[in-house]
Amino acid sequence: GSTNFNGSNSNSVNVFVGAVDRNTLYVADTLNNRIQRSTNNGQSWQFVGNGPGLGLGQFNAPKGVVANFSDTIIFVSDTANNRVQRSTNGGLNWVVIANAGVSTNQVNQPSGLAYDEGTDKLYIADTMNNRVLLVNAASTTTPVFTIFAGATVGVVIGKFSRPQSVAISAAGAVCVA
């Protein structure tokens, strides 16, 4: 909705807008296996991380990216690598906070992310595990994982089939697509 961002054409499954705050825009450029960031209303862009691959700060079909207000803490759902990565220094160094699997601290094709900086909570749409994970103390060296909702496929309230996105409202409500 901003008149400051230039328009463009793109296949909607290739690009996921992850976070917009102030004048910073993060984009998970999925099919190019990279994260891009603009801090000047889309006039110029920079890469975040180390490009495509399997190493730390490298990505394979990332679908989610979210950052704190000062852009120092960045989380990326590295979807095709089946992991979630975190940087606490603006994208220079990375650690994996969740690897592939079905345990509470593991993910299977994670997609959307939402971060509540005030409480240091990260929500992960753990797509192929049919659940939403909650990570307390997400920016620390000892994050604590719990299942927020789901874990088994279902049509009743609180159950999901391949959730894709998660968001937090200003009032703290968690919304899942």
Side-chain angles (χ1 to χ4, degrees):
S2 172
T3 59
N4 296 325
F5 285 97
N6 295 328
S8 65
N9 293 321
S10 175
N11 185 335
S12 63
V13 300
N14 298 342
V15 178
F16 293 83
V17 177
V20 180
D21 61 39
R22 320 166 307 286
N23 289 320
T24 302
L25 173 70
Y26 285 87
V27 175
D29 191 359
T30 303
L31 292 184
N32 286 319
N33 301 306
R34 64 187 182 189
I35 302 296
Q36 295 191 59
R37 169 177 58 203
S38 175
T39 57
N40 59 0
N41 292 320
Q43 301 305 306
S44 64
W45 294 85
Q46 66 181 155
F47 297 119
V48 176
N50 303 316
L54 298 170
L56 292 176
Q58 294 181 317
F59 310 109
N60 186 358
K63 289 188 178 176
V65 58
V66 66
N68 68 343
F69 189 77
S70 62
D71 297 316
T72 54
I73 302 170
I74 304 168
F75 298 94
V76 174
S77 61
D78 191 5
T79 305
N81 282 332
N82 288 309
R83 63 187 183 181
V84 175
Q85 294 191 66
R86 177 192 69 220
S87 174
T88 56
N89 60 2
L92 299 176
N93 298 60
W94 295 84
V95 297
V96 174
I97 64 168
N99 280 305
V102 297
S103 295
T104 304
N105 64 342
Q106 296 178 315
V107 293
N108 187 354
Q109 295 186 18
S111 295
L113 301 173
Y115 181 59
D116 183 342
E117 184 175 1
T119 60
D120 196 21
K121 292 181 179 180
L122 175 70
Y123 296 85
I124 303 169
D126 189 8
T127 302
M128 297 308 287
N129 282 331
N130 300 302
R131 65 188 181 186
V132 175
L133 293 175
L134 169 60
V135 185
N136 287 292
S139 69
T140 71
T141 57
T142 56
V144 178
F145 288 76
T146 58
I147 296 173
F148 180 75
T152 58
V153 177
V155 295
V156 297
I157 299 295
K159 301 291 183 184
F160 302 100
S161 179
R162 298 183 180 175
Q164 297 290 312
S165 186
V166 61
I168 306 169
S169 73
V174 178
C175 303
V176 180

